[in-house]
Amino acid sequence: ADPEKELSEICVLYNAAIYSDEKLMKENSCNLGQWFSDYLMDNGYHPHISSFLIKEMIISAFPPFTQDKEYTPDNIHQALRRRRHTLQKYAEVNEKEIHLENI
């Protein structure tokens, strides 16, 4: 088996899974945006007053995994490492919060 060819095939499949249903992608993105906006308003944030600060908070909370439009053999390793690092960081914070609640 050729590892380079397999990696290329994985990228093709991954990209197809991500972008296969553009309507669903747009619909879910809109739903998430509305949910997030509602959440902010319900919890004392005021996007109409402090949008710049909120955007900075979002950028800080959601660092990019990749800025490339498609995953390729050249970028997938770094993107997956960034994804794993970010998710591990949030998992650790969540574990600490659960631990503190149980004290």
Side-chain angles (χ1 to χ4, degrees), residues 26-39 62:
K26 286 183 180 184
E27 185 177 302
N28 284 345
S29 294
C30 287
N31 289 341
L32 177 61
Q34 185 62 55
W35 176 87
F36 190 64
S37 180
D38 292 345
Y39 174 84
F62 297 97

Side-chain angles (χ1 to χ4, degrees), residues 17-78:
I18 293 170
Y19 299 112
S20 65
D21 190 339
E22 190 170 330
K23 181 182 175 193
L24 179 64
M25 193 169 71
K26 286 183 180 184
E27 185 177 302
N28 284 345
S29 294
C30 287
N31 289 341
L32 177 61
Q34 185 62 55
W35 176 87
F36 190 64
S37 180
D38 292 345
Y39 174 84
L40 290 174
M41 294 297 289
D42 291 345
N43 288 282
Y45 294 88
H46 306 286
H48 61 289
I49 295 172
S50 56
S51 64
F52 179 77
L53 179 59
I54 291 171
K55 288 176 185 176
E56 290 297 318
M57 293 166 67
I58 292 169
I59 290 169
S60 176
F62 297 97
F65 299 139
T66 182
Q67 293 187 345
D68 297 323
K69 297 298 179 199
E70 291 191 348
Y71 291 96
T72 67
D74 293 331
N75 70 14
I76 194 163
H77 290 294
Q78 183 178 24

